[in-house]
Amino acid sequence: MSKIVVSGLKPSGKLHIGNYLGAIKQLVELQKKDYKRFYFIADYHALTTKYNPSEKRVEIFNMAVDALAAGIDPKKSILFIQSHIPTHNNLAWLLGTVTSSGQLGRMIEYKEKIKSGQVPNAGLLNYPILMAADILIYDADFVPVGEDQRQHLELTRDIANAFNNNFGETFQLPKALHNATPRVMSLSDPTKKMSKSTPNGCLFLSDPPKVVEKKIMSAKTDSQTSISFDPKKRPGISNLLSIYSGISGRSIEKLVKEFKGKGYAEFKKSMAKEMNDFLKPLQMKRKKLLADKKSVMKILEEGAKKAIPIAERKLAEVQKRAGLIPTPNDNRRLSGI
Ligand code: ADP
Ligand code: TRP
């Protein structure tokens, strides 16, 4: 049987190259393999911090558009919106009963959100339980995620283990897949992660060519002149090399050789050109999709239609194991009573 890959994209604003290289690129590349893929827009996860509902609706939709524009192919991957499959939440409730609340409170993302001033609502605390449900409901073998989600995936495995120990083998333990550029750094401060909370260090996928050029040309480097890769001692140029490698498909070693004896300006100019060549088709596809919103919705609805029966089947199995009475359409309803 082919292996199962599950991943969610949280719609939380404009996408930058860190989101692309850290998350989306891998989802696209995995389409070359003989796997069964469930990719979804994690809209419920995007509601745990303060937001504006009408803006969020647009962000959810745009996340789907961006995923399609970046190369998620609905013929190869089941693409849907998380909240369209309420079964995830049903499973999340059951998983919550075997999750340690202390462990939830120790999640780095949770602690950081609270530190940054977010109200510690229960949704924020329970966030990883829903994520575990998203993954376990499809019996995922692999979960491609950025480095920052590693801890949530470890918790998912702990939750699966706890359920299996209490109720018998029900879930298999999924593995995280991290890619070559799990942590893209900010262009303006390469010691910090590229993040939309500091937009001036971000290269957005929607940036027009002139802006891309300006951001790359003024990206922070150091006072040396040669092009070499040493993330600890030379974070700026090393970050640019990783990004350049990620979009061009050429290895860092190859790029270093290519630019031997050349200065920063030449390197950056070449990188900006290739970045624009890379972004152009993506931006054009995005524009096309935005002009045909109905067909985007249709893709998402068809994706949900495919995922729903699979999720429901798993939930029924889990409910039975947990001692619940199956729903009327399950002929094992009265067994054991
Ligand atoms: P941001 O940090 O800009 O708010 P999100 O938290 O919305 O981004 O990130 C969405 C996903 O994109 C993350 O789960 C992570 O996998 C990936 N990601 C975000 N920033 C980076 C980065 N700088 N480098 C690599 N991957 C990233
Ligand atoms: N929490 C993930 C993020 O912030 C998004 C997500 C939700 C996810 N459910 C998931 C990722 C399941 C992988 C699998 O990026």
Side-chain angles (χ1 to χ4, degrees):
M1 233 173 62
S2 43
K3 298 276 184 199
I4 295 170
V5 177
V6 174
S7 198
L9 294 163
K10 189 172 68 176
S12 52
K14 278 201 305 186
L15 284 186
H16 52 71
I17 198 77
N19 301 134
Y20 175 78
L21 293 175
I24 298 179
K25 185 182 172 200
Q26 204 181 5
L27 305 192
V28 174
E29 281 175 353
L30 281 165
Q31 293 184 138
K32 292 187 198 134
K33 302 218 173 186
D34 174 34
Y35 292 155
K36 188 160 184 165
R37 286 159 290 264
F38 295 87
Y39 294 155
F40 58 89
I41 313 303
D43 54 349
Y44 271 143
H45 278 112
L47 308 184
T48 50
T49 49
K50 205 168 177 342
Y51 67 96
N52 169 310
S54 45
E55 279 169 17
K56 190 53 77 186
R57 262 172 86 90
V58 176
E59 277 177 15
I60 293 167
F61 187 78
N62 284 352
M63 186 73 236
V65 168
D66 282 328
L68 292 165
I72 303 287
D73 178 353
K75 287 196 204 82
K76 293 184 180 155
S77 306
I78 300 178
L79 181 69
F80 56 93
I81 294 180
Q82 180 190 36
S83 68
H84 290 183
I85 310 201
T87 322
H88 290 210
N89 280 64
N90 275 340
L91 179 60
W93 176 265
L94 292 168
L95 298 182
T97 64
V98 296
T99 306
S100 140
S101 52
Q103 208 178 355
L104 288 175
R106 286 193 294 277
M107 291 291 115
I108 297 165
E109 193 172 316
Y110 175 73
K111 289 198 290 192
E112 279 180 353
K113 289 256 154 67
I114 303 267
K115 224 165 76 191
S116 74
Q118 293 292 337
V119 180
N121 64 65
L124 201 54
L125 184 69
N126 292 330
Y127 180 112
I129 304 178
L130 179 57
M131 181 160 164
D134 296 335
I135 295 167
L136 299 177
I137 203 146
Y138 299 110
D139 289 314
D141 293 287
F142 301 119
V143 185
V145 278
E147 187 68 24
D148 56 350
Q149 296 298 310
R150 186 186 288 272
Q151 202 190 19
H152 289 163
L153 211 72
E154 277 160 19
L155 179 61
T156 298
R157 292 166 63 92
D158 289 346
I159 294 173
N161 254 326
F163 194 96
N164 289 348
N165 287 339
N166 284 357
F167 303 111
E169 273 315 298
T170 309
F171 297 115
Q172 63 169 351
L173 307 188
K175 287 195 188 72
L177 287 182
H178 300 292
N179 64 11
T181 38
R183 212 170 148 80
V184 174
M185 308 311 276
S186 158
L187 295 183
S188 53
D189 178 358
T191 61
K192 296 214 170 74
K193 189 181 104 131
M194 183 181 286
S195 169
K196 62 186 148 326
S197 50
T198 44
N200 59 352
C202 286
L203 194 82
F204 292 105
L205 299 185
S206 55
D207 279 342
K210 282 260 170 312
V211 175
V212 169
E213 211 178 299
K214 191 159 170 248
K215 284 184 178 170
I216 292 178
M217 294 312 288
S218 58
K220 190 155 184 228
T221 41
D222 50 36
S223 55
Q224 297 187 41
T225 47
S226 64
I227 311 295
S228 73
F229 188 74
D230 183 345
K232 283 222 169 74
K233 291 198 189 116
R234 308 190 62 194
I237 187 67
S238 303
N239 185 40
L240 293 183
L241 275 165
S242 313
I243 299 174
Y244 199 169
S245 168
I247 56 146
S248 68
R250 310 207 284 288
S251 69
I252 291 177
E253 297 80 58
K254 198 157 180 226
L255 287 170
V256 169
K257 264 197 204 138
E258 211 176 305
F259 288 93
K260 197 165 180 238
K262 294 179 179 156
Y264 285 153
E266 199 168 340
F267 173 85
K268 286 176 165 177
K269 227 186 207 147
S270 165
M271 177 176 170
K273 187 189 170 299
E274 286 194 47
M275 180 62 79
N276 278 325
D277 290 347
F278 163 77
L279 291 177
K280 195 174 168 195
L282 207 144
Q283 293 176 351
M284 270 163 49
K285 184 138 187 237
R286 188 174 199 275
K287 210 168 146 192
K288 244 182 164 166
L289 289 164
L290 283 172
D292 186 9
K293 296 197 172 105
K294 267 198 189 139
S295 65
V296 175
M297 260 346 284
K298 193 154 173 258
I299 289 171
L300 295 168
E301 280 157 18
E302 278 174 3
K305 254 191 224 153
K306 285 185 201 151
I308 284 170
I310 302 169
E312 284 182 347
R313 215 175 309 134
K314 185 73 190 183
L315 179 72
E317 180 195 336
V318 182
Q319 286 176 325
K320 185 131 195 294
R321 290 223 184 244
L324 298 171
I325 296 177
T327 50
N329 51 17
D330 188 326
N331 56 16
R332 297 168 304 177
R333 248 185 127 212
L334 287 174
S335 78
I337 298 177

